Amino acid sequence: MTPQALTLAQNRLEVSWSDGSVVSLTAAALRRSCRCGDCRALAARREPVQVAPALAVLDARPVGAYGVQLEFSDGHDRGIYPWPYLRELGRAAAAEDYQPAGSVCTRCSASSSSMAA
Ligand SMILES: [Zn+2]
């Protein structure tokens, strides 16, 4: 699977893939998932990565066919994200997005109760 396009939109990075799927990740999620030496050391000490509330991705530089190096607005620019890792993160983020779908559930229960009444 190869990426077709990278889009930086406010505090998100979107990756379009050759199969037509799009992965959309927030800067905060990407920053927390950074696997550079510094961040791995933090994780090994079980210290959470500090993420600024208005964190943005300033730049995304492709690293050959391997992945992309991201520069964050907090000055962190060491993280290189291999393409398969980005797809993995995208799937995890999508699963998280869909779980707290309170509005959908409310509508479901509302329609089912009106049908019962
Ligand atoms: Zn890092």
Side-chain angles (χ1 to χ4, degrees):
M1 193 66 60
T2 51
Q4 300 293 99
L6 281 175
T7 311
L8 285 178
Q10 292 180 340
N11 60 346
R12 279 183 169 266
L13 172 71
E14 289 190 356
V15 188
S16 305
W17 303 88
S18 50
D19 67 351
S21 63
V22 177
V23 159
S24 178
L25 292 157
T26 63
L30 288 162
R31 181 70 176 78
R32 275 193 291 266
S33 306
C34 181
R35 299 199 296 185
C36 78
D38 287 354
C39 293
R40 278 174 194 246
L42 278 178
R45 293 200 301 269
R46 297 177 184 275
E47 290 178 32
V49 172
Q50 300 298 322
V51 176
L55 188 72
V57 180
L58 298 182
D59 197 13
R61 293 183 287 270
V63 181
Y66 175 74
V68 65
Q69 182 171 6
L70 300 182
E71 181 186 343
F72 294 96
S73 55
D74 63 358
H76 198 76
D77 66 352
R78 296 212 204 158
I80 294 176
Y81 298 72
W83 299 123
Y85 185 50
L86 278 181
R87 280 182 75 83
E88 220 176 274
L89 291 177
R91 267 196 295 267
E96 269 174 34
D97 280 352
Y98 290 129
Q99 266 173 8
S103 59
V104 174
C105 289
T106 308
R107 236 176 283 137
C108 288
S109 63
S111 63
S112 64
S113 63
S114 65
M115 278 171 71

